Amino acid sequence: MTAAPPRERPVDQRPTARTAVRIGFGELMRPVRGQLAVAVAVQAVSCVAAVVPFAAVAELGRVLLTTPVDRQAVWTIAVIAAGALVLRTLLLLAAGCLSHLADVTFQHITRRRLAAHLGTVPLGWFTASNSGTVKKAVADDVQALHHLVAHTLLDLTNAVVMPATAIAYLLAVDWRMTVICLVPLALGALCYFRAMGGYAEQMIAFDQALSKINSSVVELVRGITVIKTFGRTERGHARFRRSADDFATFFLAWVRAKTAISATADLLLSPVVMLTTVLIAGTILIESGTLAAVDVLPFALLGLGLSAPMLAIGTNIIALRASRQAAERITTVLSTPALAEPAEPRTIDDTAVDGTTVEFRDLRFTYDGGTEALRGIDLELRPNTVTALVGPSGSGKSTLARMLPRFWDPTEGAVTIGGVDLRDLDPNTLYRTVSFVFQDVQLLNTSVRDNIALARPDATLDEIVAVAKAAEIHDRISELPSGYDAVVGTDVQLSGGEAQRVSIARALLADTPVLVLDEATAFVDPEAEVAIQRALSRLARGRTLLVIAHRLATIRGSDQIVVLDNGNIAEQGTHDDLLARDGRYAGMWHAQQEASAKRGGLR
Amino acid sequence: MIGKFRRLYDDEHRPAFDWMLITAALAAISQGVAFALTVPVLTALFESRPGDAWPWLFALVIAAIVYAVLHYTSLTIGYSAGAQLARIVHHRLGDHVVALPLGWFTERRTGELSQLASQNVVQLMRVAAMQVRPLINAIVVPLTVFAAMLLFDWRMALAGALAVPVVAVAYRLFGNLISRTDHTVDAASAQASGRVVEFARNQPVLRAFGQREHGGQLLEDSLRRQHDTGRAQIVSGSVGLTGYIVVLQAAFVWLLLAGVYLALDGTLATPELLGLLVLAVRFVEPLIHAADDGATLRIAGNTIDRVEKVLAERPLPQPENPQVPEDASIELRDVRFGYDDDPVLDGVSLRVPPGGLTALVGPSGSGKTTITRLIARFHDAWDGGVLIGGVDVREMTTETLMSQLSLVFQDVFLFEGTIEENVRIGRADATDDELREAARRARVDEIVARLPDGWNTRVGEGGWTLSGGERQRVSIARALLKDAPIVLLDEATAALDAHNSSAVTDAIAELTSHRTVLVIAHDLNTVAHADEIVLLSDGRIAERGTHAELLAGGGDYARFWSYRDQSNSWQLGAAR
């Protein structure tokens, strides 16, 4: 078995994540800051313009109520109101359009930035769980910032400028009425923010309840075969029902606790209450003779609209929290340390006799800073020799093999090719020298031709066909209606064995002097397996080979066999040497012979 | 749209939802009435008789109180109706999917279902609890205001009414303009997401083969496309939105100008006009929100469609007069079946007598797995019959059928829980001795001894703390405990280390002795010991017989095994 890479690397950036975010957040937005500033300015103007039509209607009242009516003035005011309304609308839309365009640009820039950065982090970082993280960061989290970039700033501008302008105008009309108007508003705001209190904690509990549903539904559907075949439908089902009930109960308890206060806030901020307040206060003041009747009008028109922008603040706070988390995940990915690039990249002379000698020198490596996966490996791979790594799962075979294409850098010691430390080597030189064929072959969703020509996009079709033939995949490709232009995953579904042969063709075309190989083949029928084996034999010819071996029989002809145990080299030598020594390798060899003799004896 | 929500509720809880709708509508009406009362109040004030305003103000206060009570009621009922909706939908989904044929649960469907049951149901809950009321408000308030206008001045009401169809047409027209681009944007985003995942997964290959910059052109292109479609959507969306809102504002301007004209004409009293203009604002404003709320509800409607699609999947038909198998034989009679239009099995007949061992061999895609899936009734055959103990599987209850079978497949699923719980799934009422015995025979006892908390060790989600071989042994222990007379076995193909491989072999040997066995075989020894070997090719039986007969026959089977020998003797680098 291969030594599986650790399932999840501890996120060691955690403690510093917060500070990193605060720096990172403004940093992320920098490319669109200018655009957003313009949008905010336009929005602010539109807010001022929004007050004009209401003020105009109030003024209209004033003119209409004075006799004789100045007809000219009436029409002028009406036209101003209409014009301001149109202007307000156009500016509002312009601001929205600008901020949305800024968001599209922001998303594009951030995604490219993430991709560019991911191209520099150690390959070892790309575990299964981290590729989930990548998808979430690049696709979902960047999208999750949409509200923040496109809406929040504008909404906040609206929430400040519009009431401020309106209140300024109202103060000019009558300060007492203005103060009275502000009373329900202030009380409402108070209740509103109290209703929002504890939101963050509740949201965490909410997410937990939700993720319980999530895991129970996943368990229900993934375990459905087991559930049914063992007649335990009730069991898997019961857990799902329970978590659904818990969720509903939790949600109800949460909102019930808040119903009274949030309903009060709703009411205080509602137009009905504001209208009642304005009209009652207005009537009293008019009766007392200290307010002109017509001065009630601005309050009836504008006072009612004061609360709406404020309510938007609440929505935006919620959105802001969600986007903070998203931004945090993005900056966490962006702050993943990159593989150190050499200051003065060196190249190697692969034509020299020892040009491609690989050396592991006192190599130590740990994934997490704790247990060492490799504890002092000294090993030399001479040009054109085959070295096989064997050992139980967890012994460090895969880790050691993956040090050569620089999935990780050593914690201590060094890996050298032609005497040059991999860390000093120009990355392009490294990958022109070392290639690999691993078990978990993934092909790109593009043409077969491009998949093979990955290393040399300028390869001619003849060259591609030649390697495809050598990899025994040409016949399969030729059968396809669109041949080498068939898009993998769209036009054609390749089986595991076929994908493996495409990856062998790819490596053949790359034609590097050093090759790292995982011998285990995905299970295929015997005919395909033989084809893969022939292809691998052709690929191995004339190269320095490092093989992760599973079936000892396969590698018994190797120039050297290295037995790993717990990160150390336990034994080293040829098959015959090691059998003669009668140590670990000999034990493994006999166990495997026995197991294969026993296997399948069903009766 | 609201009808779709109502349909989701059960009869017990639908009235609560209806009550929310009714109270919300009544609250909106009282709100509209309160607005309407502005007109007489302002008229009294402007005509310099403020004392006359008091009765109207009193009415206004009453309307406000009624509104407050109704709003509170509707809010409370709404929250509870939303929570109930989540519960009901969860239960309905859960109850329904467990009755579906096992074949329904493909990778894609299980992904969709998980998404549906978590995020989407929560979204429905939120909409039902919080967003249906505002929509009702946005529709009923303008209607009430319109009715009030009609009372005050029919011409102004008519002017307002004229605006409504214009607004509606504009909404439809411009709404289409916005949503038309949704599809292309979604497609571009989905493609870009796919490229991102591909980019991360293929990082070693991409880098090793020199595609370091931005993960190659593929990702770069798809991000560019996503950007371009996004821009295009905003541009056309802005045009749409501008159109809609301008039309909406024009409605107000229209009312204003009409009112001014009537006032100057002398046929509309100024105080009344001013009151009506205040009212006009209340008429137009909710309509702006109606568009947003409507869009939210439409999205929720799509989610409901997806829920209903799952609920409409046909459950596995159960027999009216269930029968019980007579023995432990398996028989397929001229079975035809396919997952889509193309048959995967095209006339397959075979019989495994009680206690017999039949091995299925053949290239991938030849239909081996499909045969075992039909026996376990993941699907029903198109034609022909699948029989257990002489009884068609469709004539048995699911319980009866499943009690006859033990399935040992490659992808073993363990539940989050302890090892003991996972083995006990085999038989809930097994004694501790029986449990230990099954564990010993499946060599799970070794695993238990190794683990820190022994039998109480939690295996983690999907059993990930155990290795593949260990998970398989747990699943065999389960099957041993269950003690069903028929075993359907898919031999492991993944490379196991020598120790695990030998333990699994022992465990399988325990399980298969004295039982009827149908095995998808990959191993020479398994096949060599089978009573009958069935070689499948393209959904038909190409050859059948014992190992010796088939080898002697010199057909595909013989060729198959010559390859097997060749592959077993292969050595890497031996060709140099």
Side-chain angles (χ1 to χ4, degrees):
Chain A
M1 285 244 19
T2 37
R7 280 164 207 280
E8 220 161 327
R9 297 211 320 128
V11 184
D12 39 12
Q13 294 90 346
R14 260 280 164 263
T16 57
R18 276 205 176 269
T19 47
V21 167
R22 232 172 293 140
I23 304 160
F25 201 67
E27 201 4 62
L28 278 183
M29 303 275 276
R30 192 205 297 278
V32 291
R33 243 186 243 169
Q35 257 171 293
L36 286 176
V38 175
V40 166
V42 173
Q43 176 85 353
V45 177
S46 102
C47 288
V48 176
V51 177
V52 174
F54 295 106
V57 172
E59 292 310 311
L60 192 67
R62 222 180 284 282
V63 177
L64 282 174
L65 287 174
T66 21
T67 36
V69 176
D70 180 348
R71 299 179 77 97
Q72 186 55 42
V74 169
W75 285 117
T76 311
I77 294 173
V79 169
I80 289 176
L85 201 59
V86 171
L87 181 70
R88 143 78 171 167
T89 306
L90 291 179
L91 288 176
L92 187 73
L93 291 162
C97 189
L98 280 173
S99 73
H100 275 83
L101 287 176
D103 178 51
V104 171
T105 310
F106 168 77
Q107 294 198 7
H108 188 230
I109 289 176
T110 309
R111 290 197 170 106
R112 292 189 65 212
R113 231 173 117 171
L114 280 164
H117 183 71
L118 289 169
T120 67
V121 305
L123 286 175
W125 185 83
F126 292 91
T127 58
S129 80
N130 274 343
S131 54
T133 309
V134 169
K135 194 253 165 190
K136 195 159 171 32
V138 179
D140 308 341
D141 288 337
V142 172
Q143 180 62 43
L145 292 178
H146 164 80
H147 193 88
L148 179 72
V149 180
H151 297 271
T152 300
L153 279 176
L154 296 190
D155 285 355
L156 290 180
T157 309
N158 208 37
V160 174
V161 179
M162 177 112 115
T165 316
I167 289 170
Y169 170 69
L170 293 178
L171 277 172
V173 175
D174 190 89
W175 69 267
R176 295 163 306 171
M177 281 295 286
T178 312
V179 171
I180 293 169
C181 271
L182 290 178
V183 171
L185 210 61
L187 287 177
L190 206 68
C191 292
Y192 191 68
F193 287 106
R194 278 205 43 200
M196 296 272 301
Y199 181 83
E201 295 76 33
Q202 291 293 324
M203 212 46 218
I204 292 170
F206 180 86
D207 285 342
Q208 276 167 356
L210 187 58
S211 77
K212 256 176 65 187
I213 290 197
N214 226 332
S215 62
S216 65
V217 74
V218 167
E219 180 170 293
L220 175 69
V221 294
R222 286 197 50 212
I224 188 80
T225 312
V226 178
I227 289 171
K228 279 205 169 182
T229 49
F230 290 102
R232 305 297 295 279
T233 312
E234 281 314 307
R235 186 198 178 277
H237 195 191
R239 191 181 150 202
F240 176 64
R241 291 181 77 111
R242 209 166 41 241
S243 53
D245 290 348
D246 288 351
F247 177 78
T249 312
F250 163 80
F251 176 76
L252 254 188
W254 178 17
V255 294
R256 280 217 175 117
K258 297 285 183 191
T259 307
I261 187 95
S262 63
T264 312
D266 277 357
L267 288 173
L268 284 169
L269 296 172
S270 72
V272 173
V273 168
M274 190 60 93
L275 190 68
T276 314
T277 312
V278 166
L279 292 182
I280 290 178
T283 307
I284 292 171
L285 289 174
I286 291 167
E287 276 190 321
S288 74
T290 55
L291 185 74
V294 74
D295 284 343
V296 171
L297 207 49
F299 293 92
L301 286 164
L302 271 167
L304 269 58
L306 285 178
S307 58
M310 261 185 48
L311 287 174
I313 296 183
T315 332
N316 277 291
I317 287 176
I318 297 171
L320 212 59
R321 284 218 176 90
S323 39
R324 257 252 297 271
Q325 287 166 3
E328 207 165 295
R329 282 188 292 266
I330 292 172
T331 47
T332 304
V333 171
L334 281 177
S335 51
T336 307
L339 263 193
E341 290 266 344
E344 289 172 29
R346 296 177 56 186
T347 53
I348 47 173
D349 180 8
D350 56 12
T351 55
V353 183
D354 285 349
T356 55
T357 299
V358 175
E359 266 187 283
F360 297 90
R361 279 196 233 125
D362 193 26
L363 179 72
R364 289 174 177 276
F365 178 69
T366 158
Y367 284 103
D368 52 10
T371 332
E372 284 188 311
L374 299 173
R375 310 160 184 258
I377 302 286
D378 280 294
L379 183 63
E380 189 187 35
L381 317 181
R382 306 282 309 156
N384 294 333
T385 61
V386 177
T387 303
L389 300 174
V390 302
S393 54
S395 61
K397 301 188 297 278
S398 293
T399 309
L400 181 58
R402 281 170 168 76
M403 301 302 285
L404 186 45
R406 213 180 159 197
F407 274 43
W408 296 281
D409 279 338
T411 316
E412 275 177 53
V415 185
T416 64
I417 297 183
V420 181
D421 194 312
L422 293 191
R423 285 166 292 197
D424 297 330
L425 204 58
D426 173 38
N428 293 323
T429 309
L430 172 64
Y431 293 120
R432 268 203 305 275
T433 313
V434 181
S435 65
F436 48 84
V437 175
F438 288 145
Q439 270 185 77
D440 47 345
V441 177
Q442 300 262 354
L443 297 181
L444 302 175
N445 181 211
T446 183
S447 69
V448 176
R449 178 183 180 152
D450 288 348
N451 262 297
I452 295 176
L454 207 56
R456 286 177 44 205
D458 56 342
T460 64
L461 187 58
D462 286 345
E463 289 174 306
I464 289 168
V465 169
V467 292
K469 278 182 177 159
E472 311 228 355
I473 190 67
H474 173 73
D475 291 347
R476 171 79 169 101
I477 301 169
S478 310
E479 277 171 16
L480 303 171
S482 38
Y484 281 85
D485 292 324
V487 175
V488 177
T490 308
D491 299 341
V492 55
Q493 303 292 336
L494 294 178
S495 71
E498 288 162 351
Q500 202 156 20
R501 277 177 277 171
V502 171
S503 83
I504 293 172
R506 188 189 269 170
L508 276 167
L509 192 68
D511 197 24
T512 60
V514 180
L515 179 69
V516 182
L517 192 66
D518 194 335
E519 163 259 330
T521 50
F523 183 83
V524 289
D525 58 73
E527 190 168 350
E529 186 161 356
V530 167
I532 291 174
Q533 289 170 343
R534 277 198 303 259
L536 282 178
S537 295
R538 283 181 200 121
L539 176 62
R541 207 167 292 151
R543 289 177 221 281
T544 310
L545 217 59
L546 183 63
V547 187
I548 303 168
H550 302 276
R551 287 179 302 183
L552 301 183
T554 307
I555 49 88
R556 62 183 185 269
S558 305
D559 298 289
Q560 61 175 342
I561 294 170
V562 176
V563 182
L564 287 175
D565 183 47
N566 205 11
N568 289 304
I569 295 183
E571 292 174 16
Q572 194 173 353
T574 64
H575 176 74
D576 294 339
D577 294 344
L578 294 176
L579 273 194
R581 187 183 294 181
D582 202 20
R584 278 168 199 277
Y585 179 80
M588 285 163 68
W589 174 261
H590 295 307
Q592 211 163 69
Q593 295 292 100
E594 251 170 60
S596 67
K598 186 165 82 175
R599 231 177 99 83
L602 288 186
R603 293 265 153 102
Chain B
M1 212 63 72
I2 284 172
K4 281 187 181 172
F5 273 95
R6 292 190 71 241
R7 268 210 308 275
L8 279 184
Y9 279 98
D10 55 19
D11 291 340
E12 190 190 339
H13 295 95
R14 194 173 300 115
F17 184 72
D18 290 345
W19 263 116
M20 179 194 71
L21 297 178
I22 292 167
T23 48
L26 290 174
I29 291 175
S30 55
Q31 203 180 355
V33 168
F35 292 149
L37 289 169
T38 321
V39 179
V41 171
L42 287 178
T43 310
L45 292 179
F46 295 148
E47 289 174 353
S48 307
R49 35 182 186 86
D52 290 356
W54 284 109
W56 297 112
L57 283 172
F58 182 69
L60 177 59
V61 170
I62 302 278
I65 292 172
V66 169
Y67 166 70
V69 171
L70 286 170
H71 174 77
Y72 181 80
T73 313
S74 166
L75 193 72
T76 316
I77 302 176
Y79 283 153
S80 130
Q84 289 300 349
L85 182 69
R87 207 180 55 81
I88 291 166
V89 174
H90 276 138
H91 282 219
R92 283 184 67 183
L93 281 174
D95 293 349
H96 189 74
V97 297
V98 293
L100 293 178
L102 285 171
W104 184 82
F105 295 86
T106 59
E107 191 77 21
R108 185 174 61 81
R109 289 221 182 91
T110 54
E112 284 173 1
L113 189 63
S114 307
Q115 163 103 20
L116 200 58
S118 50
Q119 280 101 316
N120 290 337
V121 171
V122 170
Q123 176 213 357
L124 287 185
M125 175 185 84
R126 285 205 165 126
V127 171
M130 302 175 188
Q131 264 148 343
V132 172
R133 282 181 297 107
L135 181 67
I136 291 180
N137 203 56
I139 294 167
V140 176
V141 169
L143 280 176
T144 316
V145 166
F146 170 71
M149 278 187 162
L150 216 52
L151 281 178
F152 296 123
D153 189 282
W154 66 270
R155 293 162 308 176
M156 285 291 278
L158 190 68
L162 278 178
V164 173
V166 178
V167 168
V169 168
Y171 179 63
R172 216 149 249 281
L173 215 65
F174 296 121
N176 281 346
L177 204 58
I178 297 168
S179 61
R180 205 171 49 197
T181 49
D182 277 356
H183 180 70
T184 41
V185 170
D186 287 351
S189 298
Q191 201 204 23
S193 292
R195 287 293 182 208
V196 167
V197 173
E198 174 183 273
F199 166 75
R201 278 206 192 137
N202 289 279
Q203 198 51 217
V205 167
L206 285 171
R207 248 189 253 187
F209 295 104
Q211 309 272 321
R212 297 183 72 225
E213 301 305 315
H214 295 130
Q217 212 49 44
L218 293 173
L219 178 61
E220 184 78 341
D221 289 348
S222 70
L223 288 180
R224 163 62 51 187
R225 201 152 36 240
Q226 187 181 22
H227 173 256
D228 293 347
T229 52
R231 264 190 94 87
Q233 182 183 41
I234 288 164
V235 172
S236 70
S238 297
V239 171
L241 208 60
T242 311
Y244 175 61
I245 297 196
V246 164
V247 167
L248 210 54
Q249 302 289 27
F252 179 76
V253 171
W254 159 245
L255 275 172
L256 175 73
L257 297 180
V260 168
Y261 176 79
L262 291 175
L264 290 179
D265 201 32
T267 55
L268 178 64
T270 301
E272 206 168 324
L273 166 68
L274 295 176
L276 285 173
L277 284 180
V278 172
L279 213 50
V281 176
R282 296 296 118 202
F283 178 73
V284 172
E285 204 179 73
L287 288 177
I288 298 179
H289 298 297
D292 283 349
D293 294 332
T296 311
L297 224 65
R298 208 173 29 247
I299 294 169
N302 294 340
T303 303
I304 295 179
D305 290 344
R306 285 167 52 205
V307 170
E308 288 188 329
K309 206 176 134 217
V310 172
L311 293 178
E313 292 287 344
R314 267 166 38 101
L316 201 61
Q318 295 293 322
E320 280 174 25
N321 302 309
Q323 295 178 36
V324 179
E326 285 155 17
D327 56 35
S329 64
I330 307 172
E331 192 175 349
L332 269 69
R333 285 186 194 154
D334 202 20
V335 168
R336 285 183 76 249
F337 174 74
Y339 297 97
D340 39 44
D341 292 341
D342 299 324
V344 174
L345 295 179
D346 198 2
V348 170
S349 298
L350 62 85
R351 182 178 146 82
V352 190
L357 169 61
T358 294
L360 296 174
V361 296
S364 58
S366 59
K368 305 187 294 284
T369 309
T370 305
I371 288 182
T372 57
R373 287 163 71 94
L374 288 181
I375 294 168
R377 217 181 159 203
F378 279 40
H379 306 273
D380 281 335
W382 290 350
D383 288 322
V386 177
L387 295 85
I388 297 282
V391 177
D392 194 298
V393 290
R394 284 168 293 198
E395 297 301 320
M396 282 179 235
T397 61
T398 305
E399 290 71 32
T400 307
L401 173 64
M402 290 305 180
S403 71
Q404 299 297 305
L405 304 174
S406 276
L407 274 56
V408 180
F409 289 166
Q410 288 191 59
D411 46 346
V412 175
F413 183 82
L414 300 188
F415 292 96
E416 156 80 68
T418 64
I419 286 226
E420 170 160 354
E421 284 165 7
N422 267 292
V423 175
R424 268 193 194 277
I425 285 174
R427 186 148 50 90
D429 59 356
T431 65
D432 280 357
D433 286 345
E434 287 168 328
L435 181 78
R436 301 287 183 267
E437 174 63 9
R440 190 188 58 73
R441 288 164 66 196
R443 294 183 59 178
V444 168
D445 51 349
E446 288 173 19
I447 306 170
V448 171
R450 177 180 75 77
L451 293 169
D453 297 328
W455 280 104
N456 294 320
T457 309
R458 302 192 77 84
V459 297
E461 199 167 311
W464 67 268
T465 55
L466 304 182
S467 76
E470 289 173 339
R471 282 205 294 276
Q472 206 147 31
R473 277 141 75 187
V474 171
S475 84
I476 293 168
R478 258 181 204 165
L480 281 166
L481 203 56
K482 180 179 177 181
D483 199 22
I486 297 173
V487 176
L488 302 179
L489 173 67
D490 190 349
E491 275 190 337
T493 53
L496 296 179
D497 61 44
H499 177 78
N500 247 317
S501 146
S502 139
V504 169
T505 307
D506 288 349
I508 288 180
E510 285 283 346
L511 178 64
T512 51
S513 62
H514 314 299
R515 292 190 169 88
T516 309
V517 182
L518 184 67
V519 54
I520 298 174
H522 306 300
D523 198 287
L524 177 63
N525 289 323
T526 304
V527 183
H529 290 94
D531 300 324
E532 184 180 45
I533 298 162
V534 173
L535 175 71
L536 287 165
S537 173
D538 289 334
R540 292 168 183 277
I541 293 179
E543 294 171 34
R544 68 199 313 165
T546 64
H547 182 62
E549 286 164 5
L550 291 178
L551 273 192
D556 282 345
Y557 182 83
R559 196 168 53 86
F560 197 74
W561 287 115
S562 77
Y563 279 120
R564 173 59 81 198
D565 287 342
Q566 201 179 327
S567 109
N568 279 343
S569 62
W570 176 68
Q571 284 187 45
L572 187 64
R576 75 179 57 235

